[in-house]
Amino acid sequence: MSFEGTWFNELNSEMKLMPASDKLIKGSYASGVGGSPNNFLDLVGFVDTNPLAYSQAIAWVVVWNYGVGNNFNSITTWSGQYQINQKTQEEEIITTLLLTKEMEAENDWESTLVGQDVFKRNPPSEEQRLSRQRRAPSHPTIE
């Protein structure tokens, strides 16, 4: 099993992963929705160095900053596992995500969104993408 390569979530965001050491990963992330620029942003993370034969724990983070003066003041973290779907035999990275936006203290209660992403090797069809757009995205949106 190898998580290295290009991955797509249900909303057609594109992620590229590569090992940087035995436990460190690096890569890039481009959002597929939400009005945010489709720039490839750096990501960094970790993987379990002693994976099971059928799954491997993996986690990474993206800081949403599109250049000087364009900081969305937020960070998304994903934590989950890379595995082979036993029904479809497809590789998947199934994650829970936290998107935290910087807020004033009195609004802390609304600073963090929780969601899920499933990443696969192939981009979703238009039908799959549209059916998933109702959920909160894993990145900040332009208001």
Side-chain angles (χ1 to χ4, degrees):
M1 290 181 28
S2 173
F3 62 83
E4 185 174 359
T6 303
W7 296 87
F8 300 89
N9 71 6
E10 307 93 327
L11 298 175
N12 204 33
S13 296
E14 182 178 342
M15 174 177 64
K16 296 180 182 182
L17 295 176
M18 62 191 114
S21 70
D22 63 336
K23 63 182 173 184
L24 183 66
I25 58 173
K26 63 181 181 176
S28 60
Y29 193 92
S31 173
V33 295
S36 58
N38 199 18
N39 296 339
F40 280 94
L41 300 171
D42 292 335
L43 70 79
V44 294
F46 292 91
V47 293
D48 177 17
T49 58
N50 190 22
L52 300 173
Y54 49 84
S55 72
Q56 183 174 19
I58 185 169
W60 66 91
V61 62
V62 171
V63 177
W64 298 100
N65 185 340
Y66 297 109
V68 177
N70 294 318
N71 190 350
F72 283 91
N73 299 320
S74 60
I75 294 176
T76 304
T77 61
W78 290 262
S79 179
Q81 61 180 325
Y82 164 68
Q83 61 190 6
I84 305 294
N85 181 310
Q86 295 303 305
K87 291 181 183 176
T88 66
Q89 295 303 304
E90 271 188 290
E91 293 175 284
E92 297 176 331
I93 301 175
I94 299 173
T95 65
T96 297
L97 66 92
L98 297 172
L99 165 61
T100 302
K101 302 181 288 184
E102 294 176 8
M103 296 282 206
E104 295 153 352
E106 62 269 15
N107 294 323
D108 274 350
W109 63 272
E110 66 175 325
S111 66
T112 303
L113 301 171
V114 179
Q116 293 181 308
D117 269 330
V118 177
F119 292 88
K120 297 184 178 188
R121 295 284 187 179
N122 296 309
S125 68
E126 185 67 11
E127 181 180 320
Q128 291 168 323
R129 189 182 64 76
L130 291 173
S131 73
R132 293 294 298 184
Q133 269 188 324
R134 294 186 190 132
R135 70 172 179 82
S138 55
H139 57 82
T141 56
I142 296 173
E143 297 181 19

